[in-house]
Amino acid sequence: MTQHAPIAWIDGEPPAGLSGGTTWGMPFQRGTVADAEHLTVRDSSGSAVNVQAWPLATWPDGSLKWAGIALGATENPAPAYSVSTKPTGTPNPTSTHDDGPAAAVEPSPEVTVTETETSVTVSTGTLEMAIPRRGETLFSELRRGGNAVAKDARLVSLLQNGLQEGPGSTTREAYASHVSSVTVEQRGPVRAVARIEGQHRAKDGGKEWLPFTVRFYFYAGARSVRMVHSFIWDGDAEEDFLAGMGVEFTVPLQSELHNRHVRIAGADGGFLVEAARGLTGLRRDPGEAVRAAQVAGQATPPITEWSPLVSERLHLIPRWNDYTLTQLSADGFELRKRTAPGHGWVGISGGTRSAGFCSLSDLRGGFGIGVRDFWQSHPGQLDIRRAATSDATVTAWLYSPEAQPMDLRFYHDGLGQDTFEDQLEGLEITYEDYEPGFGNPTGIARTHELTLFAYDATPSTESLAVDAQAASTPPLLQPSPEYLHKAGVFGDWAPVDRSTQARAELEDKLDFLFDFYQGQTEQRRWYGFWNYGDVMHAYDSDRHVWRYDVGGYAWDNSELSPDLWLWYMYLRTGRADVFRYAEAMTRHTGEVDVYHLGPWRGLGSRHNVQHWGCSAKQLRISTPAYRRFYYYLTADERTGNLLTELVDSDRNFLGLDPVRKVRPDADTYRPDRGALGVGLGTDWGSLAATWLTDWERTGNPRSRDRLLGTMADIGKLKYGFLTGEALYDLDAGRFDAGREAISVSHLSAVFGLVEICSELISLVPDKDFERAWMQYCRLFLATPEEQAAEVGQPLAGIYLTQAHSRLTAYAAAKLGSPDLASLAWDSFAEGGENLNHAEAFTLKKILPPYVLQPVDEAPTVSTNDTAQFGLAVIQNLALIGDRLPTSTAAPKEVPAS
C-alpha cells in the first residue's frame, strides 16, 4: 500500500518564488522503505514533481530511516506537497499509484556537471558557473543567458599585526583564497553540490591561514546559487587580529552609466534605488519617461529623446563609483557613497537592521548577493566599488574592515591560578574552570550562508525584495509533528496535546519559556560574529543582567542541553520560530564551541565568559546528540562534516583527561597502555551518540561494533550505569566489565544520555543493557532505603530532581508501574527548585536607570533549569501523561512596573 506523507512550508505559506530550490530531510518507519529510489513527490494538485532523493541514514535492518529530498527551482511553488513511498520490495512508482493514476512529471531543466582536469562547470539550465580546480578564485565566471554576470570570485581577509593600545602603529596585510581542492559531492539531476577547500594566502605567497570550506548548491532551473562558507580560526590570538573577512566578486558592466543600477537593501523591505549616474532630482528635467525608466531599472529612452538641457550637460553630472553599507552592531547601519578614491564620502542614510542584500546590474544583466543573519552576525559590510568602470566589484564582508579588529585574547591574566588546587578554588568563587593555555581559540570555526543571484536584466525592486527575503529566510519544507512522531525517530516525545487543563498548563509553560528566551536574545542583544546562536547561563538579579562577566555563568555552551530542549520542542510543535532559534544554536554550538583542529579537535569548551575560555574540553559539548536533529531535518552537508569529525573522538581521551583535576583513582586513566577511564554518563553518552549517528549514516562497522560492544559491557557491569566510570580499551573498543564500584553524578544523564539510551533500547535488543538502564532510572530518585536494599548503599550526588523525573517516568512506562508514575510527577513537581514556582513564569519589566534599555526578567529562571524542565515535561508527557499532577500553575504576566 502506498504511503503519502504530507509536507508543508515551515512558515505556513509558500514563498513568493523558489529561485534556488530547497532541500529537506524525511524519516520513514523501520522496514517500510527499501531505499531513496522508492520515493516520489506530488504537489497539492496531485501532479508529480521532479525531485532528487538520497539516503541519510538506515535502520539496523537496512531499510531507509532518513532521506534527503531536493526540489528544483520554480516561480510558482505549490502550497504543499506529499512524499509517496512504496513498501520494501516494490518497484519504484513511475506513472501510476495504487490510489489512481498520477499526473505525468512535466519536463523541466536538469542540473548538469562537467568535469575536466582543470575545472568543474555546473549548469542549472538557467545559470552556469565555472569553477577552477586550483588558484585564487572560487569560480571564474557565473553566466546567465551567455553573459558573465560575475567573475573571479574569491575570499579576502585582512590580518592586522596588533592593536593600537598606545604609541606605535599597526599594519594590515591583505590575503586571498588559495584553492587546494574541488570535489563534486552531488551531480544532479535536481541538485548538485561542489565543495571547495583551501586557505587564505598572503599576496607575497608567504603565510597561509584560515582554512576554509565553501560549498555551492545548484538546483534544476535555479537562477540563484546557495553558498555556505566555513572557516577555522588557526591564528595566534596574541599576535593575529582579523581586521576583515569577506567574499569579493567582479561584476562586468557595459551599459552607459545612467543604465547601471545599484540596489542595496535597508530595513523592513526598503531599498536604496540608484544609478551610477543619477538622472532624477536634477535642476533640469530629462523627461518623465527617462526618470521613470531609470528608477525602474529599465533602459532609458535614447539620449536624442531627452531634454537637451540634460543630455548636453551629462558630463557634468557626478559618476558615483563606490557604495558602502556598514552594519557594525545589531541596532544600526549606515549607507554612504563617493565618486572615486581620494574624494570624500557622502552620507546617504541609515537605519536599524539591514537585510544584508545588494545588487549591481546593467541592461545585460547583473549580480546580487544576500547574506543570511547579516545584522545578527555583525559586524558586516556590503561594498560596491568601481561601478563606473567596466569591471566593478561587489564584496560581502562577513567581518567588516571598519569594525574594531577581532580580538580573541583571553580576558584575564590567570589571577595566579597556576596549580590545580588554585584552579579548583577559582571554580568555587566564579564557577570558572581556568587553566593556563586552555583559553585558546585556535581551532574554533564559523559558518556563514549566502545566496548569489544571476540576473538577465535589472530586476524590479519588488522582485529584489523577494530575493532578499529568500536569502535571509530560506524557504524550507518539513513533515508534520504527527508524521515525525509516527516515524519513530528521536526517542520519547509526542506532539502537543492540550486535551486537558493540566496538559494545557504545561504546554503554556513550555511556550512561555521559549518566548522568554527568544525575547531575551533580542532584549539583551545576544548577537555578534562569535555569539549569535548562544544564550547566557545564569542571571544576576541584583544588576538585572545575565552574568556575562562571571566565569562559568556567562555563555551557556550547551550546558544541560538547551539544544535538545529546543529541537524536541520543534519536533512537537512544528513552529518555524522554534526551528530557526534551534538552527542558530546548532550552527553556533557546533562551530564556535567545538575545536576543529589541533590537540583538542573534536572536543568542546564548557560554559565561560568567552566561548573557548574554559579548560574543560569535553565530548559533552561536541556530542552529535545536539547536531543530528538539524542534519536529518535539512540534509545539511556542513553539519554532516561536523558529525564525521567526531567519529574517532574516543581517541581524544589519550590527550586530555576530562577529570584530570579531581580524579581520585589513577588506575582508571592509563593512556600509555591504551586504557582510559570513560565516564558512563556524559562521556559514554556522547560516544554512543557519535557511534550511533555514524553507524546509521555510513554503516561503519567500527562505530557499530564499539556501540554494541560497550552497550553489552555496561550490561555486564555488576552495577551497570551506577558504576559511574569504566576502563575503556581503545584498541578493542570495549569496557572492562569487571569493575565493581558505585559512583553517581547529577550530570551524567542531562547531556543527551536519556535520549540516546531510549533510542538505543528501541533500536537494538540487549536485555542486559536495558536492565542496567532500567536500574539506573528506577533507583536515581528512589529512597535511600530502597537504594541501599538493592545495591548495598544509598546513592550520593542526587541533584536536579526535576530533570531526573523523566528517568523515573521511563521506568514507570516500561514497567507499567503506577507507583513509579506517581513518583515521577511528584519528583517533577517537588524537585523544580525554581521552575515550578509561579513566580518563575512571570515577567517583570525593568526600566532605566537600572538597565541600559527596558528589559523583561524572570528572576528564578536559568538556562539550566529551563532546558531540563522542558525536557522533563516533554518526555514525562510522552511516557506517563495519564498521571499528570494537579498542582501546576499556569504562567502569568505581570504588568510593567
Side-chain angles (χ1 to χ4, degrees):
M1 184 69 179
T2 301
Q3 301 178 42
H4 298 288
I7 51 175
W9 297 104
I10 194 170
D11 292 298
E13 298 291 335
L18 195 62
S19 69
T22 189
T23 297
W24 71 97
M26 196 86 177
F28 304 93
Q29 289 179 304
R30 185 183 339 209
T32 60
V33 180
D35 54 50
E37 294 182 356
H38 287 73
L39 306 177
T40 58
V41 177
R42 293 180 177 185
D43 63 21
S44 50
S45 70
S47 299
V49 295
N50 281 323
V51 295
Q52 180 176 324
W54 61 99
L56 298 178
T58 57
W59 294 95
D61 65 2
S63 61
L64 187 67
K65 185 175 184 180
W66 284 91
I69 306 176
L71 177 69
T74 173
E75 292 303 314
N76 297 293
Y81 296 85
S82 65
V83 177
S84 302
T85 66
K86 280 287 188 179
T88 55
T90 304
N92 185 38
T94 52
S95 61
T96 62
H97 296 268
D98 59 3
D99 56 353
V105 177
E106 295 183 4
S108 64
E110 291 188 352
V111 174
T112 59
V113 179
T114 304
E115 294 191 73
T116 70
E117 291 184 359
T118 58
S119 68
V120 173
T121 301
V122 185
S123 172
T124 70
T126 300
L127 59 77
E128 183 177 87
M129 180 183 287
I131 303 172
R133 292 192 181 274
R134 293 288 188 276
E136 193 174 272
T137 59
L138 303 178
F139 65 74
S140 56
E141 279 194 332
L142 177 63
R143 295 183 287 268
R144 183 167 179 185
N147 294 321
V149 298
K151 62 183 184 180
D152 300 333
R154 60 181 191 149
L155 299 176
V156 292
S157 61
L158 299 171
L159 173 61
Q160 186 164 304
N161 64 349
L163 292 182
Q164 192 72 40
E165 296 179 327
S169 61
T170 59
T171 60
R172 290 184 173 184
E173 185 177 8
Y175 286 69
S177 49
H178 179 73
V179 174
S180 58
S181 69
V182 176
T183 304
V184 178
E185 294 182 318
Q186 281 191 325
R187 55 182 60 252
V190 174
R191 181 186 194 250
V193 183
R195 186 183 78 239
I196 303 170
E197 295 177 301
Q199 290 185 310
H200 289 242
R201 176 180 287 183
K203 291 293 187 180
D204 61 7
K207 176 177 177 175
E208 291 186 345
W209 75 323
L210 304 180
F212 66 82
T213 300
V214 168
R215 281 185 171 88
F216 289 120
Y217 290 83
F218 306 88
Y219 290 82
R223 59 179 179 82
S224 65
V225 178
R226 180 171 176 250
M227 174 182 174
V228 177
H229 163 262
S230 305
F231 82 97
I232 302 175
W233 170 265
D234 65 343
D236 183 337
E238 298 296 324
E239 298 181 0
D240 298 331
F241 300 90
L242 185 65
M245 170 184 281
V247 54
E248 178 185 279
F249 309 86
T250 298
V251 179
L253 298 171
Q254 294 182 7
S255 300
E256 305 95 330
L257 298 186
H258 52 269
N259 282 323
R260 299 183 182 187
H261 302 288
V262 172
R263 304 289 186 264
I264 303 177
D268 302 320
F271 269 83
L272 176 75
V273 178
E274 295 206 353
R277 175 173 279 151
L279 301 176
T280 66
L282 300 172
R283 186 177 184 186
R284 306 304 178 192
D285 184 5
E288 182 178 357
V290 176
R291 289 185 283 107
Q294 186 177 70
V295 171
Q298 300 170 356
T300 58
I303 290 181
T304 54
E305 298 179 13
W306 299 11
S307 166
L309 297 176
V310 174
S311 61
E312 293 176 2
R313 298 184 175 96
L314 198 59
H315 63 288
L316 299 175
I317 301 173
R319 305 186 308 171
W320 296 103
N321 218 31
D322 302 337
Y323 289 77
T324 286
L325 181 146
T326 56
Q327 179 90 50
L328 303 185
S329 76
D331 294 306
F333 70 84
E334 180 187 15
L335 265 168
R336 62 184 190 273
K337 65 181 182 180
R338 68 181 179 184
T339 56
H343 297 275
W345 289 92
V346 175
I348 299 174
S349 184
T352 52
R353 295 168 170 176
S354 167
F357 177 94
C358 70
S359 69
L360 179 62
S361 56
D362 64 9
L363 300 181
R364 297 168 57 254
F367 176 72
I369 184 167
V371 182
R372 189 177 183 189
D373 298 326
F374 180 70
W375 60 265
Q376 295 94 327
S377 300
H378 66 80
Q381 183 169 322
L382 298 175
D383 284 348
I384 293 174
R385 297 288 185 267
R386 303 197 305 272
T389 70
S390 59
D391 284 316
T393 62
V394 172
T395 305
W397 291 98
L398 308 176
Y399 193 92
S400 167
E402 297 193 19
Q404 287 292 315
M406 189 183 292
D407 187 355
L408 302 184
R409 295 174 294 180
F410 192 66
Y411 78 101
H412 66 66
D413 64 2
L415 307 173
Q417 301 174 74
D418 297 324
T419 68
F420 285 174
E421 182 179 9
D422 294 333
Q423 293 155 26
L424 293 173
E425 281 296 299
L427 193 65
E428 289 296 318
I429 185 64
T430 63
Y431 201 29
E432 179 173 70
D433 194 353
Y434 172 80
E435 188 171 339
F438 277 70
N440 187 347
T442 301
I444 65 173
R446 182 74 164 82
T447 287
H448 293 85
E449 300 179 46
L450 307 92
T451 307
L452 317 180
F453 295 87
Y455 298 121
D456 56 4
T458 297
S460 68
T461 308
E462 291 77 11
S463 66
L464 286 174
V466 171
D467 288 346
Q469 175 66 20
S472 64
T473 310
L476 178 65
L477 287 163
Q478 285 285 278
S480 67
E482 292 73 20
Y483 176 84
L484 291 168
H485 179 249
K486 186 178 179 181
V489 291
F490 299 130
D492 301 311
W493 63 276
V496 172
D497 179 358
R498 294 179 174 271
S499 60
T500 68
Q501 180 181 353
R503 281 182 176 273
E505 289 174 352
L506 287 173
E507 298 290 357
D508 287 343
K509 287 188 175 185
L510 291 176
D511 289 346
F512 171 89
L513 288 170
F514 173 76
D515 294 343
F516 172 72
Y517 270 89
Q518 188 179 49
Q520 289 294 287
T521 294
E522 169 62 10
Q523 293 181 358
R524 309 290 177 166
R525 299 304 192 261
W526 290 340
Y527 301 120
F529 189 93
W530 293 113
N531 296 335
Y532 179 56
D534 207 352
V535 296
M536 285 282 174
H537 180 287
Y539 196 74
D540 184 340
S541 57
D542 294 311
R543 288 186 290 169
H544 301 295
V545 295
W546 291 81
R547 302 184 210 178
Y548 69 93
D549 59 348
V550 184
Y553 289 113
W555 291 115
D556 190 69
N557 287 32
S558 296
E559 179 68 8
L560 268 67
S561 306
D563 320 60
L564 290 179
W565 162 52
L566 292 170
W567 280 120
Y568 278 109
M569 185 161 183
Y570 168 71
L571 294 177
R572 301 180 71 242
T573 65
R575 285 173 54 175
D577 55 349
V578 176
F579 179 93
R580 294 199 171 97
Y581 199 80
E583 178 184 30
M585 182 172 287
T586 299
R587 282 287 191 218
H588 170 90
T589 59
E591 303 276 8
V592 181
D593 298 345
V594 177
Y595 290 94
H596 306 274
L597 55 75
W600 303 320
R601 183 178 185 270
L603 299 177
S605 295
R606 175 183 168 273
H607 38 107
N608 193 261
V609 170
Q610 291 170 300
H611 298 284
W612 50 86
C614 185
S615 74
K617 313 296 186 184
Q618 296 184 359
L619 294 176
R620 76 186 201 191
I621 297 98
S622 59
T623 173
Y626 299 150
R627 254 62 77 186
R628 56 204 294 264
F629 296 88
Y630 185 64
Y631 173 73
Y632 287 135
L633 291 167
T634 66
D636 177 65
E637 277 82 2
R638 171 58 183 172
T639 307
N641 289 161
L642 301 182
L643 297 173
T644 301
E645 281 182 5
L646 299 168
V647 169
D648 297 323
S649 56
D650 52 348
R651 297 188 177 276
N652 290 316
F653 289 91
L654 283 172
L656 189 67
D657 178 7
V659 292
R660 60 196 176 280
K661 299 182 183 181
V662 295
R663 180 176 293 283
D665 182 2
D667 287 339
T668 59
Y669 185 73
R670 298 180 300 201
D672 56 320
R673 306 181 197 177
L676 311 170
V678 173
L680 301 182
T682 59
D683 293 337
W684 183 81
S686 300
L687 291 172
T690 300
W691 294 328
L692 170 61
T693 306
D694 186 50
W695 177 27
E696 61 187 10
R697 286 182 64 207
T698 70
N700 184 350
R702 179 186 186 274
S703 294
R704 177 200 62 207
D705 293 347
R706 288 178 184 245
L707 175 63
L708 300 181
T710 53
M711 287 174 62
D713 297 335
I714 292 172
K716 293 175 183 176
L717 285 166
K718 180 177 181 179
Y719 298 112
F721 280 95
L722 299 175
T723 310
E725 184 181 66
L727 201 62
Y728 177 70
D729 186 322
L730 182 60
D731 294 330
R734 299 295 295 267
F735 285 129
D736 177 358
R739 182 171 172 81
E740 294 186 15
I742 294 178
S743 177
V744 175
S745 169
H746 65 292
L747 296 179
S748 292
V750 292
F751 286 86
L753 182 68
V754 175
E755 293 74 18
I756 289 298
C757 283
S758 70
E759 281 197 60
L760 290 175
I761 288 171
S762 66
L763 197 66
V764 291
D766 187 323
K767 292 183 178 179
D768 289 338
F769 177 84
E770 185 173 2
R771 175 198 54 77
W773 180 241
M774 195 71 68
Q775 179 189 53
Y776 191 81
C777 292
R778 282 189 299 103
L779 291 185
F780 195 92
L781 295 183
T783 66
E785 293 76 17
E786 291 171 325
Q787 295 168 348
E790 184 160 339
V791 297
Q793 66 184 67
L795 304 180
I798 305 300
Y799 305 104
L800 299 177
T801 306
Q802 185 178 72
H804 287 87
S805 67
R806 66 190 196 271
L807 277 71
T808 310
Y810 182 87
K814 291 296 182 180
L815 299 174
S817 170
D819 291 340
L820 284 174
S822 295
L823 174 61
W825 278 121
D826 289 344
S827 300
F828 172 85
E830 296 172 6
E833 292 83 358
N834 291 326
L835 287 175
N836 277 328
H837 301 302
E839 59 266 26
F841 292 88
T842 61
L843 293 181
K844 183 178 181 181
K845 181 72 73 175
I846 307 299
L847 303 174
Y850 304 105
V851 292
L852 295 173
Q853 60 180 351
V855 294
D856 295 324
E857 69 174 15
T860 57
V861 172
S862 75
T863 301
N864 295 340
D865 294 325
T866 300
Q868 289 299 309
F869 172 90
L871 288 167
V873 170
I874 290 167
Q875 290 164 333
N876 287 3
L877 286 174
L879 291 163
I880 53 167
D882 59 333
R883 303 286 301 183
L884 285 173
T886 58
S887 59
T888 57
K892 300 177 182 178
E893 291 194 11
V894 175
S897 59

